[in-house]
Amino acid sequence: MRGWAERFMASGGAMARGLLPSYLLLLAQENLEFRLPEIKSLLSLCGGQFSSQQEIRINSPFWILNIPSEEMARGLMKRTVCAKSVFELWGQGKSAEELYTSLKNYPMEKMVPYLQSNSTYKIHIHAFNKTLTQDKKIRRIDALEFLPFEGKVNLKNPEHIFWILEDYGMDPNNVPEDPLDLYFGRWIANGQRELIESYSVKRRHFIGNTSMDACLSFIMANHGRVKANDVVFDPFVGTGGLLISSARFGAYVCGTDIDYNTVHGLGKASRKNQKWRGPDENIRANLRQYGLEKYYLDALVSDASKPIWRKEMLFDAIITDPPYGIREATRRTGSQKEILKATERGTENHISISSNYHLSDIFFDLLNSAAEYLVMGGRLVYWLPVYKPEYTEEIIPRHPCLKLISNCEQMLSSHTSRRLITMEKVKEFEVKCSWVCCAKWRLSNI
């Protein structure tokens, strides 16, 4: 034990050098482009910022982050659906020898609390892109006998769990004999991957043709930095799938939609072998299904192209999936001719005639509304459909009050995709400025 202390004093220790503690993230290998914006957003929500002493390999399942405290690491894992687990990193290397050397140089004072004789522990082996035999796993554990564990092994209910993690690269057709990177760490917490299954659309009470996948719905809420007691709005609410993820994180939710039948849960059902919607098949019932009804404010039948709110900052986040005209029609009430006639008669309060609502107009109105009704620092998260052969970053709608935070692609076909756009309000709303900026984008994309 004395030798370990001497080595720590000689090296000065990571904390003595003023470095933040290192934590290892084990990430899920899906929605790869969405992972970094989610982690960055959640760290900022926890009061920190994204920091790494090493270059992040975007497609890798292993990221080393420098986080101020274990409490912040736990806070991150209480929200993320992109990360599986987080570990306090004790050692790493390109080979077993490098890993062991790294472990021997880890500060002893940080190890001691988890090595006590009255504690229990176990060591778990995880190999990415390779299956290890039980014999190889045992040999890897035995090779760590130099670590001064004094507690007892408990495989069923240990107080402390330690992981050896091995990375065999990304190519399943060319797996190396030896790992490319090795890590050893103390398990801290798991992410929220179980939400994907427990909130699956397949078992949801009320669904539509375009109900959002549960995983993407939670990712959108995380990109929007939704937190407890926020007010979150969806102007194209549909069956309310995006409200559920925000309510799960403690936000109060509301929405609007032009489709009367959808808002009120009437008409034809979207499920196979079901002709008509049931008597209690609606947005409120969806939130009730998950014990979230107390967070539901309301849903209104309303046209997203027409202002209905008082002129002030109302929402902490606007999270939405606008209609693209593929499976759901893009509509708004009235035509210009009918609106003019109604105005002349003084009966503008209810117009049932619908007209086409062009995509360019949808995003023009959406960004203007976000700039006007979001609180400062509030976020707009929405999907933008893209024709890939003609896509450039210049087509992303911009607004002088909104800062682009992230832009992630989800492939739909060989020629089409949609991009999850996250923007943050950074400037007070000004009518003249917003109109000119958005109008330029609109005219160039009609």
Side-chain angles (χ1 to χ4, degrees):
M1 296 286 281
R2 182 175 298 173
W4 282 76
E6 289 171 352
R7 280 195 292 272
F8 169 68
M9 294 301 292
S11 65
M15 295 303 291
R17 292 193 298 270
L19 300 178
L20 292 174
S22 293
Y23 294 85
L24 179 69
L25 274 184
L26 174 60
L27 297 125
Q29 287 303 101
E30 61 181 35
N31 298 311
L32 300 187
E33 281 201 24
F34 301 83
R35 301 185 306 181
L36 185 57
E38 190 207 47
I39 298 302
K40 285 183 174 180
S41 295
L42 293 179
L43 284 174
S44 68
L45 187 61
C46 294
Q49 61 180 9
F50 184 86
S51 175
S52 177
Q53 301 297 324
Q54 296 189 347
E55 181 180 353
I56 293 293
R57 292 175 294 169
I58 296 299
N59 293 335
S60 171
F62 302 106
W63 292 357
I64 298 175
L65 302 182
N66 300 104
I67 303 174
S69 67
E70 182 174 320
E71 181 183 6
M72 186 174 290
R74 290 183 182 277
L76 170 65
M77 302 312 286
K78 287 179 180 178
R79 289 288 301 263
T80 177
V81 292
C82 288
K84 293 181 176 181
S85 304
V86 67
F87 309 89
E88 181 183 56
L89 187 61
W90 285 18
Q92 65 181 110
K94 296 290 185 182
S95 64
E97 291 71 24
E98 282 189 17
L99 173 64
Y100 303 152
T101 300
S102 177
L103 282 169
K104 291 173 183 178
N105 288 324
Y106 190 74
M108 185 61 186
E109 66 176 18
K110 298 183 71 175
M111 284 188 174
V112 167
Y114 311 102
L115 308 178
Q116 300 296 321
S117 59
N118 60 351
S119 66
T120 59
Y121 73 96
K122 78 172 182 179
I123 298 176
H124 181 83
I125 310 290
H126 174 79
F128 176 74
N129 198 28
K130 191 167 187 173
T131 301
L132 299 178
T133 65
Q134 189 63 23
D135 181 60
K136 287 184 177 180
K137 290 181 179 180
I138 292 173
R139 277 185 285 172
R140 281 159 168 74
I141 293 173
D142 289 342
L144 295 174
E145 62 181 359
F146 63 87
L147 290 174
F149 288 109
E150 297 182 2
K152 294 181 179 180
V153 173
N154 184 332
L155 299 181
K156 291 186 177 180
N157 188 29
E159 292 178 62
H160 310 299
I161 305 175
F162 300 91
W163 283 48
I164 300 172
L165 302 105
E166 301 183 354
D167 184 3
Y168 288 87
M170 305 293 295
D171 187 357
N173 299 316
N174 186 24
V175 181
E177 182 63 28
D178 298 316
L180 305 176
D181 291 283
L182 299 96
Y183 309 93
F184 182 87
R186 177 177 64 90
W187 174 84
I188 293 176
N190 288 333
Q192 302 300 310
R193 298 285 297 169
E194 74 278 359
L195 294 179
I196 299 171
E197 182 62 26
S198 59
Y199 284 79
S200 172
V201 174
K202 294 178 182 178
R203 293 192 295 274
R204 190 164 298 167
H205 192 64
F206 178 43
I207 63 169
N209 293 332
T210 57
S211 292
M212 184 62 62
D213 167 81
C215 182
L216 291 174
S217 180
F218 283 108
I219 286 174
M220 291 177 74
N222 284 335
H223 282 207
R225 296 193 303 191
V226 173
K227 61 184 183 300
N229 298 317
D230 278 357
V231 177
V232 176
F233 172 59
D234 182 353
F236 304 97
V237 71
T239 57
L242 296 181
L243 302 187
I244 292 171
S245 56
S246 293
R248 173 61 178 75
F249 294 138
Y252 294 93
V253 296
C254 60
T256 60
D257 202 284
I258 197 172
D259 192 323
Y260 181 94
N261 285 340
T262 299
V263 171
H264 290 280
L266 304 173
K268 291 185 178 180
S270 298
R271 291 189 189 279
K272 188 178 180 180
N273 301 324
Q274 181 182 342
K275 189 172 183 180
W276 302 101
R277 288 170 175 152
D280 194 31
E281 209 168 330
N282 51 52
I283 297 172
R284 184 182 293 276
N286 269 353
L287 280 97
R288 186 186 306 126
Q289 177 182 352
Y290 301 107
L292 302 172
E293 187 177 4
K294 66 180 180 180
Y295 296 111
Y296 180 54
L297 299 177
D298 210 343
L300 308 176
V301 179
S302 177
D303 182 348
S305 69
K306 301 183 185 303
I308 62 170
W309 307 108
R310 63 179 185 267
K311 302 295 183 181
E312 63 179 85
M313 295 180 286
L314 301 172
F315 307 119
D316 297 283
I318 296 175
I319 298 177
T320 192
D321 181 24
Y324 313 143
I326 300 173
R327 288 186 292 172
E328 294 288 347
T330 57
R331 295 180 294 141
R332 60 179 169 185
T333 55
S335 65
Q336 190 62 34
K337 187 175 181 180
E338 290 294 330
I339 290 171
L340 288 173
K341 286 184 178 179
T343 304
E344 291 171 2
R345 294 195 302 266
T347 57
E348 212 175 356
N349 60 326
H350 181 76
I351 302 171
S352 59
I353 299 171
S354 67
S355 63
N356 290 333
Y357 194 11
H358 296 291
L359 278 178
S360 54
D361 294 321
I362 289 177
F363 296 112
F364 171 77
D365 292 334
L366 179 61
L367 266 67
N368 254 347
S369 294
E372 184 168 7
Y373 297 118
L374 279 175
V375 301
M376 290 299 295
R379 288 193 169 185
L380 166 66
V381 183
Y382 70 94
W383 289 99
L384 178 73
V386 171
Y387 180 61
K388 290 182 61 182
E390 296 180 2
Y391 169 76
T392 65
E393 200 164 287
E394 284 68 32
I395 75 165
I396 304 299
R398 303 299 176 111
H399 194 288
C401 297
L402 303 173
K403 175 185 176 183
L404 181 65
I405 300 297
S406 61
N407 171 11
C408 309
E409 183 180 33
Q410 182 193 31
M411 302 287 292
L412 299 177
S413 70
S414 59
H415 287 82
T416 61
S417 66
R418 60 179 181 176
R419 306 191 78 90
L420 184 62
I421 308 299
T422 301
M423 309 184 86
E424 184 174 312
K425 184 171 179 177
V426 295
K427 183 181 176 183
E428 293 288 350
F429 177 73
E430 297 177 18
V431 176
K432 183 185 295 186
C433 186
S434 64
W435 178 268
V436 172
C437 185
C438 285
K440 286 182 179 178
W441 176 85
R442 180 173 63 169
L443 291 171
S444 65
N445 286 275
I446 291 178

